[in-house]
Amino acid sequence: MRQRFYIQIIIVLALATCLSSLCYYITCAGLRHSREGEPGKISFILYDTSRYEVLFTGSSRISRNIDAGLFTSKTGHSTYNAGIDGAGFATMAWLTREFIKSHHTPRYIFINIDLYAMEVESGLFYYPMFYPYLHGGDTRALEAADKRLRRGKWLPFCAIADIDDYLKEVSVDALFSGNGSADSIFHRSGYEPIYSSTYTGQEDSMVLTFDYDVSNFARLDSLCAGCSAEGCQLFFLMSPIYDAREMQTDNSRIFYEYLRNIEAKYNIVELNYYTDRRFGHDMFFNRTHLNNKGATVYTGLLADTFIALTGSKIP
């Protein structure tokens, strides 16, 4: 009797493990075919082969602040916004390299130098979103940044518990709706506007701290070397921060020293709007994100600056 009980337990555990793993792999397959939200954006970056002349890459300071369609209409250059909410440097660098592999090399790449993304990266924001891509391409940098991702490779029956209802719903939509599931982010070439009301926080100004991880500057150098070797003209882009001001500190001095050394090495143009006062209270959603009105002004300003610097407006 006891032996039979043990056999039943083993069979139940084996079935649960197999079914959980199967559910994980099916969910990941759906996410890889998605055209919804940021899972769809990641899949588009990795698997689509459309060519773009301009790429914006970075965190939500790119995804929420740059209207790719407006930039295209003003400059004549096809543009894609590859910003991902919460992206640290590991995520941004990985997506940029994968974009170049799949979509060929853009002529121009804007890399957002985000004060927060250059800090120590304790883990990936919303890491289950990256499970579907662990078995294809070079994801070592992502796995090093967040060891939890290893569950997707070695313990899929456990990893399925990390995938929340939103990702499962996106996966199901992709599996059963096909191309009909494409949403506004897909049709806006990656732009994710914030339509909410204007910033309602405190009026006191914020002093920029310039916290950073030195190793991220080495990784930035490596990324720029790879992009430059592909023939890209690079821009470093610093997005506006509400009522921000800089103070001369050791941190800020060293931060800019690292940055200027990389800029000089690869002939990179720096566009710094951290403390730009042209962006008023009504253009922000919060201190570090523009609303749709601010993003429209910001994108238009960048497009005009781009045309002036490159002389490459296409009718």
Side-chain angles (χ1 to χ4, degrees), residues 81-100:
N81 180 330
I84 294 291
D85 285 1
F89 191 84
T91 303
M92 183 271 289
W94 176 68
L95 286 173
T96 303
R97 291 188 172 103
E98 292 299 318
F99 186 95
I100 291 173

Side-chain angles (χ1 to χ4, degrees), residues 43 61 75 99 134 139 154-155 167 205 268:
S43 293
R61 258 64 70 179
T75 66
F99 186 95
L134 297 177
T139 58
W154 310 114
L155 300 170
L167 291 177
S205 61
I268 298 171

Side-chain angles (χ1 to χ4, degrees), residues 265-290:
K265 189 185 297 187
Y266 304 108
N267 192 31
I268 298 171
V269 178
E270 178 184 310
L271 301 176
N272 190 335
Y273 298 94
Y274 281 148
T275 60
D276 196 313
R277 292 295 183 265
R278 285 175 290 185
F279 297 91
H281 193 276
D282 62 335
M283 296 184 187
F284 285 88
F285 166 69
N286 58 24
R287 279 204 179 274
T288 60
H289 296 87
L290 298 167

Side-chain angles (χ1 to χ4, degrees), residues 123-176:
L124 301 181
F125 179 76
Y126 204 19
Y127 70 93
M129 191 164 58
F130 300 98
Y131 275 146
Y133 316 104
L134 297 177
H135 297 279
D138 185 1
T139 58
R140 288 173 296 179
L142 290 182
E143 293 172 51
D146 199 323
K147 293 179 172 54
R148 292 174 296 180
L149 286 179
R150 294 174 182 174
R151 288 202 287 264
K153 277 189 173 180
W154 310 114
L155 300 170
F157 52 90
C158 292
I160 186 62
D162 298 331
I163 299 177
D164 62 16
D165 290 343
Y166 166 71
L167 291 177
K168 290 172 183 173
E169 181 181 344
V170 170
S171 175
V172 169
D173 285 346
L175 289 172
F176 294 99

Side-chain angles (χ1 to χ4, degrees), residues 28-289:
C28 286
L31 290 172
R32 284 193 294 270
H33 290 85
S34 173
R35 300 171 79 186
E36 287 187 67
E38 293 204 326
K41 182 189 284 191
I42 295 174
S43 293
F44 183 87
I45 290 170
L46 268 66
Y47 303 126
D48 192 86
T49 57
S50 305
R51 291 176 178 262
Y52 293 90
E53 295 171 293
V54 179
L55 173 68
F56 285 86
T57 183
S59 67
S60 55
R61 258 64 70 179
I62 288 292
S63 65
R64 306 290 181 171
N65 290 359
I66 302 296
D67 186 339
L70 176 60
F71 194 90
T72 296
S73 67
K74 288 183 71 70
T75 66
H77 292 279
S78 56
T79 304
Y80 191 78
N81 180 330
I84 294 291
D85 285 1
F89 191 84
T91 303
M92 183 271 289
W94 176 68
L95 286 173
T96 303
R97 291 188 172 103
E98 292 299 318
F99 186 95
I100 291 173
K101 289 179 188 176
S102 300
H103 298 264
H104 303 283
T105 306
R107 290 177 61 188
Y108 307 97
I109 297 180
F110 288 80
I111 300 175
N112 194 61
I113 304 301
D114 194 317
L115 292 173
Y116 307 99
M118 299 306 289
E119 294 177 351
V120 174
E121 197 163 11
S122 58
L124 301 181
F125 179 76
Y126 204 19
Y127 70 93
M129 191 164 58
F130 300 98
Y131 275 146
Y133 316 104
L134 297 177
H135 297 279
D138 185 1
T139 58
R140 288 173 296 179
L142 290 182
E143 293 172 51
D146 199 323
K147 293 179 172 54
R148 292 174 296 180
L149 286 179
R150 294 174 182 174
R151 288 202 287 264
K153 277 189 173 180
W154 310 114
L155 300 170
F157 52 90
C158 292
I160 186 62
D162 298 331
I163 299 177
D164 62 16
D165 290 343
Y166 166 71
L167 291 177
K168 290 172 183 173
E169 181 181 344
V170 170
S171 175
V172 169
D173 285 346
L175 289 172
F176 294 99
S177 301
N179 291 340
S181 65
D183 65 4
S184 61
I185 296 175
F186 177 86
H187 292 298
R188 287 178 173 270
S189 298
Y191 174 45
E192 305 173 48
I194 299 176
Y195 291 111
S196 303
S197 58
T198 59
Y199 179 54
T200 57
Q202 297 179 353
E203 296 290 343
D204 57 312
S205 61
M206 181 176 75
V207 178
L208 303 183
T209 58
F210 293 97
D211 294 329
Y212 56 86
D213 179 358
V214 173
S215 62
N216 276 335
F217 282 99
R219 297 184 186 104
L220 178 61
D221 189 299
S222 175
L223 176 63
C224 292
C227 293
S228 294
E230 294 286 341
C232 302
Q233 169 64 59
L234 298 174
F235 297 84
F236 282 166
L237 183 59
M238 290 84 152
S239 298
I241 298 175
Y242 176 70
D243 202 12
R245 59 191 178 92
E246 294 187 27
M247 292 182 65
Q248 288 297 320
T249 63
D250 287 342
N251 268 13
S252 63
R253 178 181 57 79
I254 296 172
F255 181 93
Y256 281 118
E257 281 181 5
Y258 280 123
L259 212 58
R260 302 283 153 69
N261 287 337
I262 297 173
E263 290 169 355
K265 189 185 297 187
Y266 304 108
N267 192 31
I268 298 171
V269 178
E270 178 184 310
L271 301 176
N272 190 335
Y273 298 94
Y274 281 148
T275 60
D276 196 313
R277 292 295 183 265
R278 285 175 290 185
F279 297 91
H281 193 276
D282 62 335
M283 296 184 187
F284 285 88
F285 166 69
N286 58 24
R287 279 204 179 274
T288 60
H289 296 87

